């Protein structure tokens, strides 16, 4: 399907590749960016549609490397289609779905299933991440090579860390040999067993089973040592606290090929948001203290943390309306990712261009996508956003099939006016 | 007995509407309200010692005891308290095996709520369970123990026992000893006792101490001898058997040697020290029978008696609030 050419004028362009943040416009044709204009431009020649952005932000569409859906296996939670619709309305043009589905994405046939469903839905780009181990069992390596051939973007064991260091070493070495990126959640499974919160004075008073931050530091240090041993590239999944950030900084300073993501939730909330056992704020990893959140924001601003993910994890009311320790972990986030990120800009913590890079170019480069930049010839995956528009999040009015938003009731700024995928308008406010 | 304990006759005049519709945590109350509640409970102690123990403050009310965890004394205490105040009381003890598969805690409570009880007393193994239910039902909810979080009526009965034994709570040195980490009794007692001006210590092995416990406004001791030195009250906590076999402490005998309460350790406490235990006791594990059964020292039986009176006071005040609401 070929899209009509569209000219965008009078925009605030933010391009993470060239570090340009200023007035401009662009022209799309045949699903690609055909022409770029820098400087004030308020009209364009040509026979296509012209969109006056009226000063709104125009940047590459967001690339979200960590999205859970319920398809296949738990479609009432979220289908690929409902997730894609949520993504489009949130300005997210590429999502990478996690392998912890039923069946698990540990087989090229399931990779192929996801890609074919995505083609039929024809909204945003949907890519699968493959499982590192068969059935995510943490014991036997999955068919990483065949899944890569079928089209998976990287491999991960989702929320379940690989406790066995020997297996982790072999997976890193094997995947590296095939050029496949490994993504791993750093958590010492002995320390996190049964935990529902971060160990602290606060969780102690609530009487919740809790894990120390050291659980994350220990596993990250192990993974860093294994990267050193194997030379493999590693994507650290959802780093969340000050101590592991120090480990990450040391590893990066030594030039090890390590990248890290942070979830928007850990950049936006701290452990006190659990409040009176609010299960929508029960996450994996659990929310940390405020000093950890501040360290995370600083790490994002400095580039120590490369990528921000939504960690979209739908859970229906029946899985959340339980006592805290028994409730499902996770929160949806596709529709709130951009406005929540913009909060960090509005509060003056992180420059806008740096924020945009963390959800566009940085993830694109990590997994080898051509999107995520504004240059002639790259895919016309774009988002137009009024970054100042105030809104109060009402979970019930979100598109996701599950309404477990940690941002419910929060006041944010930023309204997505239009989302384009391959030059097609997939969302228009 | 304190000299000015009110008689059974004036309990009617002493009830006051509870500050909140539910009773979930000792922090729902301020020190003045705690004092009034304890005064009222004193009246109920007098009533409970009479031949006729009936009052009609809860006449026509329905009380449901919903206990997901086994309990002898708390459940029978709430049951007696309700019955002596004239309420209809039913006990439900849904064991995990007999709950209809798939029915959640909230569903069970909402179902019971539809039968229009006035007060739901709940005990559940998960922290925050009582708070969760209080948001989903229209009746009043009393927390009779939620996981490792709170057991507020226990703390009130402990404080009443102390106040009757010493005539005051303010300034008492109270050592709470044993498995503080897993204890809801300890959490409620720390919050209530510090609110009332007692000097609270927590004593036990470091592996059974909550993180950052020194920020709870208490002194933390890992050595029993220093922990109970000069204490007016030594409150022993129950150690769950499954936590003794190498997971948190190496063995029962090592635990008893280092943290079990016997005469020798108790000799370091203040003159006139009283020993408390929320029960049920593991004799020879956390407490020596010699100490537990000494009426000069042990307040254990008083605690049980005060339990009924305190729960009558809680029920009467919650009902007084219900009376004010159409």
């Amino acid at each position: 399907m070929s899209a009509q050419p569209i000219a965008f004028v009078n925009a605030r362009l933010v391009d993470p590749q060239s570090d340009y943040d200023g007035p401009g416009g662009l022209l799309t044709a045949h699903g690609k960016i055909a022409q770029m204009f820098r400087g004030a431009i308020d009209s364009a020649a040509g026979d296509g549609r012209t969109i006056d952005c009226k000063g709104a932000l125009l940047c590459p569409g967001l690339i979200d490397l960590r999205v859970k859906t319920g398809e296949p296996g738990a479609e009432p939670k979220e289908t690929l289609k409902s997730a894609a619709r949520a993504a489009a309305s949130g300005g997210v043009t590429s999502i990478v779905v996690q392998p912890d589905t039923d069946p698990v994405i540990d087989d090229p046939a399931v990779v192929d299933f996801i890609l074919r469903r995505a083609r039929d839905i024809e909204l945003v780009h949907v890519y699968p991440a493959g499982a590192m181990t068969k059935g995510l069992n943490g014991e036997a390596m999955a068919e990483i090579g065949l899944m890569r051939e079928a089209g998976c973007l990287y491999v991960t064991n989702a929320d379940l860390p690989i406790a066995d260091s020997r297996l982790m070493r072999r997976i890193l070495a094997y995947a590296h040999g095939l050029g496949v990126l490994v993504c791993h959640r750093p958590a010492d499974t002995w320390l996190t067993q049964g935990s529902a919160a971060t160990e602290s004075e606060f969780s102690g008073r609530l009487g919740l089973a809790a894990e120390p931050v050291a659980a994350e530091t220990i596993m990250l240090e192990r993974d860093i040592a294994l990267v050193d041993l194997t030379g493999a590239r590693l994507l650290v999944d959802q780093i969340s606290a000050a101590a592991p950030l120090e480990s990450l900084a040391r590893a990066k300073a030594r030039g090890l090929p390590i990248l890290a993501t942070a979830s928007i939730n850990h950049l936006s909330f701290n452990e006190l948001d659990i409040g009176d056992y609010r299960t929508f704020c029960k996450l994996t990893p659990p929310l940390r203290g405020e000093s950890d959140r501040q360290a995370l924001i600083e790490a994002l601003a400095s580039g120590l943390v490369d990528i921000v993910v939504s960690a979209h994890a739908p859970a229906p009311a029946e899985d959340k309306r339980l006592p805290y320790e028994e409730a499902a972990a996770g929160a949806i986030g596709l529709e709130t990712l951009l406005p929540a990120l913009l909060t960090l800009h509005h509060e003056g913590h992180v420059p806008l261009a740096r924020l945009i890079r963390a959800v566009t170019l940085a993830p694109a480069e990590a997994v080898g996508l051509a999107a995520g930049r504004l240059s002639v010839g790259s895919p016309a995956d774009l988002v137009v956003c009024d970054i100042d528009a105030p809104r109060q999040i009402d979970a019930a009015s979100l598109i996701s099939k599950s309404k477990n938003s940690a941002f419910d009731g929060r006041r944010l700024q930023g309204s997505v006016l239009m989302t384009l995928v391959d030059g097609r308008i997939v969302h228009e406010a | 007995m304190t000299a000015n304990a009110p008689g059974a006759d004036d309990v009617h005049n002493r009830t006051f509407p509870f500050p909140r519709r539910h009773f979930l945590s000792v922090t729902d109350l301020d020190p003045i309200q705690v004092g009034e509640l304890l005064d009222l409970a004193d009246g109920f102690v007098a009533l409970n010692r009479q031949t006729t123990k009936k009052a009609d403050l809860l006449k026509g009310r329905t009380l449901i005891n919903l206990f997901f965890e086994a309990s002898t004394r708390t459940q029978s205490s709430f049951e007696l308290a309700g019955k002596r105040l004239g309420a209809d009381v039913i006990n439900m003890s849904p064991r995990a095996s007999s709950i209809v598969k798939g029915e959640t805690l909230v569903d069970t409570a909402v179902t019971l709520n539809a039968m229009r009880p006035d007060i739901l007393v709940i005990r559940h193994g998960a922290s925050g369970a009582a708070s969760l239910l209080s948001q989903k039902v229209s009746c009043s909810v009393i927390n009779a123990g939620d996981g490792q979080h709170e057991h507020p009526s226990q703390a009130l009965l402990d404080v009443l026992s102390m106040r009757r034994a010493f005539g005051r709570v303010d300034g008492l040195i109270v050592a709470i000893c044993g498995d503080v980490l897993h204890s809801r009794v300890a959490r409620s007692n720390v919050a209530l006792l510090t609110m009332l001006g007692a000097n609270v210590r927590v004593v036990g092995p470091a592996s059974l101490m909550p993180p950052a416990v020194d920020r709870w406004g208490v002194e933390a001791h890992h050595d029993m001898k220093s922990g109970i030195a000069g204490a007016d009250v030594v409150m022993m906590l129950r150690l769950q058997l499954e936590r003794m076999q190498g997971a948190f402490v190496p063995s029962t005998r090592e635990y008893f040697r280092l943290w079990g309460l016997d005469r020798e350790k108790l000799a370091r406490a203040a003159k006139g020290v009283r020993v408390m235990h929320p029960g049920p006791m593991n004799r020879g594990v956390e407490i020596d029978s010699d100490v537990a059964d000494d009426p000069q020292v042990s307040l254990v039986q008083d605690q049980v008696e005060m339990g009924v009176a305190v729960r009558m006071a809680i029920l009467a005040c919650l009902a007084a609030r219900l009376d004010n609401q159409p």
Side-chain angles (χ1 to χ4, degrees):
Chain A
M1 174 173 136
S2 147
Q4 292 300 308
I6 304 176
F8 291 87
V9 297
N10 207 4
R12 174 180 178 183
L13 287 185
V14 172
D15 175 30
Q17 194 176 37
S18 59
D19 265 332
Y20 180 77
D21 179 354
L26 60 78
L27 181 70
T28 71
H30 309 295
K32 310 261 188 226
I33 297 174
Q35 243 180 308
M36 295 285 310
F37 312 102
R38 289 193 179 170
I41 171 161
D42 50 17
S43 64
D47 46 1
R49 181 179 168 187
T50 297
I51 291 171
D52 182 354
C53 297
K54 297 182 177 135
L57 170 73
L58 173 60
C59 71
L62 275 52
I63 298 169
D64 189 348
L65 292 188
R66 199 185 211 281
V67 174
K68 276 194 203 191
T69 76
E71 188 171 348
E75 287 80 0
K77 278 190 201 178
E78 189 89 287
T79 58
L80 289 168
K81 186 167 189 175
S82 65
R85 287 181 56 222
S89 86
V92 180
T93 52
S94 296
I95 61 176
V96 183
V97 296
Q98 297 297 290
D100 49 350
T101 47
D102 182 16
V104 168
I105 308 178
D106 60 357
D107 181 293
V110 189
V111 172
D112 189 54
F113 165 80
I114 301 280
L115 289 172
R116 276 187 290 120
R117 288 286 294 135
R119 265 197 300 279
D120 294 345
I121 294 163
E122 215 182 11
L123 267 172
V124 302
H125 302 291
V126 179
Y127 304 100
M132 282 159 77
T133 57
K134 286 174 185 153
L136 299 170
N137 66 5
E139 288 165 13
M141 205 187 302
E143 293 169 324
I144 294 172
L146 293 180
M147 286 192 289
R148 200 268 313 263
E149 275 181 14
C152 88
L153 275 198
Y154 64 85
V155 293
T156 173
N157 224 47
D159 289 337
L160 304 167
I162 306 286
D164 180 342
S165 304
R166 185 175 63 171
L167 178 65
M168 185 64 182
R169 175 200 179 168
R170 288 178 180 160
I171 291 173
L172 279 168
Y174 186 82
H176 181 52
L178 298 173
V180 177
L181 178 68
V182 171
C183 176
H184 189 238
R185 183 169 95 80
D188 180 295
T189 51
W190 292 102
L191 285 170
T192 58
Q193 206 172 56
S195 127
T198 299
E199 192 172 292
S200 70
E201 179 198 355
F202 180 70
S203 63
R205 282 180 189 272
L206 288 181
L208 292 175
E211 66 192 58
V213 165
E216 186 172 317
T217 317
I218 289 169
M219 189 58 109
L220 180 57
E221 288 284 357
R222 181 204 75 173
D223 286 353
I224 289 169
L226 292 178
V227 166
D228 201 8
L229 186 64
T230 58
R233 284 175 77 219
L234 175 71
L235 178 62
V236 180
D237 182 25
Q238 296 184 83
I239 198 163
S240 67
L245 282 168
E246 286 174 22
S247 304
L248 178 68
R250 280 196 299 274
K252 282 193 164 189
R254 287 171 53 206
L256 294 177
I258 294 181
L259 299 168
T261 72
S263 95
I264 188 63
N265 299 317
H266 295 89
L267 289 161
S268 307
F269 302 101
N270 67 28
E271 58 171 356
L272 300 182
D273 287 295
I274 294 173
D276 188 17
Y277 303 99
R278 192 164 174 260
T279 56
F280 281 13
C281 285
K282 182 179 176 184
L283 305 170
T284 310
L287 288 172
R288 309 298 196 189
E290 176 62 9
S291 57
D292 289 318
R293 187 181 82 95
Q294 293 295 342
L296 203 57
I297 292 172
E298 223 171 90
L300 174 62
S302 73
L304 178 58
V305 163
D306 306 273
I307 296 163
V308 175
V309 296
S310 72
H312 184 81
E318 61 264 30
D319 292 348
K320 282 290 189 183
R321 218 174 50 160
L322 291 170
Y324 196 84
E325 287 168 338
E326 296 165 20
I332 57 169
L334 279 167
E335 291 159 84
T336 46
L337 174 60
L338 185 53
L341 263 183
L342 289 170
T343 301
L344 300 176
H345 160 66
H346 291 302
E347 290 174 353
H349 298 308
V350 189
L352 183 60
R354 171 77 206 113
L355 289 173
I356 298 298
R357 169 184 285 267
V359 285
T360 55
L361 185 64
E365 287 181 341
V367 298
L369 292 176
R373 58 208 93 194
L374 296 182
S375 54
V376 173
S378 50
D381 292 356
L382 302 166
V383 56
V384 182
C385 177
D386 176 351
I387 64 169
D388 296 315
R391 59 191 281 213
Q392 184 170 17
I393 303 300
D394 171 18
S397 68
L398 296 176
I399 290 170
S400 276
K401 287 181 92 172
S402 295
K403 309 298 182 191
N404 56 312
S405 170
F407 290 92
D408 188 25
R410 269 237 178 166
R411 288 182 165 79
L412 301 175
Q413 275 177 282
S415 173
V416 174
L417 304 175
M418 185 178 282
T419 309
L420 287 90
V421 173
D422 289 335
R424 280 177 297 121
I425 297 173
V426 294
H427 166 79
E428 192 167 3
Chain B
M1 286 289 300
T2 48
N4 60 350
D9 300 333
D10 60 1
V11 292
H12 276 275
N13 307 325
R14 285 181 166 274
T15 58
F16 64 94
F18 238 53
R20 294 179 61 183
R21 185 158 64 92
H22 309 290
F23 184 47
L24 305 177
S25 161
V26 291
T27 57
D28 291 348
L29 302 172
D30 64 32
I32 293 169
Q33 289 161 342
V34 171
E36 289 181 40
L37 203 62
L38 297 181
D39 291 345
L40 179 61
D42 270 327
F44 285 121
V45 174
L47 177 72
N48 288 337
R49 289 176 178 177
Q50 293 177 2
T51 315
T52 304
K53 302 173 175 62
K54 278 277 190 185
D56 59 359
L57 289 164
L58 257 65
K59 193 165 177 224
R61 300 284 184 193
T62 307
L63 176 76
I64 298 183
N65 274 332
L66 181 58
F67 276 57
F68 289 88
E69 278 186 346
S71 159
T72 313
R73 64 194 73 205
T74 306
Q75 183 171 336
S76 50
S77 186
F78 269 110
E79 183 178 0
L80 267 182
K83 285 182 171 165
R84 285 183 181 166
L85 292 176
D88 295 314
V89 183
I90 63 164
N91 291 318
M92 308 246 332
S93 303
R95 295 275 175 274
S97 57
S98 66
I99 293 183
V100 182
K101 203 177 174 197
E103 187 171 61
T104 63
L105 168 65
V106 169
D107 287 338
T108 306
V110 167
T111 303
L112 292 175
N113 186 55
M115 300 176 190
R116 300 207 159 268
D118 299 286
I119 298 173
L120 194 59
V121 179
I122 174 169
R123 165 170 293 188
H124 194 276
S127 301
S131 166
L132 173 67
L133 288 197
S134 72
Q135 296 160 28
K136 307 291 178 191
V137 298
S138 56
C139 61
S140 288
V141 174
I142 295 178
N143 181 5
D146 63 326
Q148 298 166 11
H149 179 224
E150 280 235 36
H151 190 354
S153 63
Q154 176 74 40
L156 283 169
L157 75 87
D158 288 339
V159 164
L160 180 61
S161 306
M162 288 179 217
R163 198 178 77 161
R164 290 170 68 97
F166 292 92
R168 67 191 166 100
V169 177
D170 186 23
L172 288 182
I173 299 176
V174 181
I176 302 176
C177 308
D179 182 1
V180 179
L181 177 62
H182 298 100
S183 175
R184 56 193 173 215
V185 175
R187 282 175 180 75
S188 286
N189 262 305
V190 166
L192 186 59
L193 285 165
T194 50
M195 184 205 295
L196 298 177
N199 298 314
V200 183
R201 301 174 186 164
V202 291
V203 188
S207 54
L208 289 172
M209 283 286 153
V213 70
D214 49 328
R215 291 172 63 181
W216 290 12
V218 301
E219 269 178 50
H221 292 261
H222 301 314
D223 176 11
M224 192 77 173
K225 289 171 189 152
S226 72
I228 64 175
D232 299 301
V233 176
V234 177
M235 183 185 293
M236 300 306 297
L237 298 172
R238 176 180 165 76
L239 184 65
Q240 304 273 333
L241 270 163
E242 63 270 22
R243 297 188 178 125
M244 287 184 285
Q245 316 299 343
F248 289 89
V249 293
S251 68
T252 307
R253 66 177 188 176
E254 179 162 325
Y255 185 80
F256 184 67
R257 168 73 71 84
L258 297 176
W259 292 283
L261 187 66
D262 55 18
R263 288 275 177 202
E264 190 195 331
K265 295 196 189 84
L266 194 59
R268 295 168 175 272
K271 196 170 178 302
V273 64
R274 308 306 292 269
V275 172
M276 304 177 74
H277 194 299
M281 288 184 280
N282 292 312
R283 292 165 183 272
V285 177
E286 70 253 357
I287 192 163
D288 193 11
S289 285
D290 185 32
V291 174
D293 298 334
D294 180 351
Q296 299 294 319
V297 169
S298 171
L299 282 179
V300 174
Q301 297 310 316
D302 299 58
Q303 286 175 275
V304 178
E305 184 187 359
M306 295 312 125
V308 179
V310 154
R311 283 157 187 142
M312 288 169 82
I314 294 167
L315 291 174
C317 291
L318 267 185
R321 181 183 170 107
L322 295 176
D323 288 338
N324 292 341
Q325 285 177 335

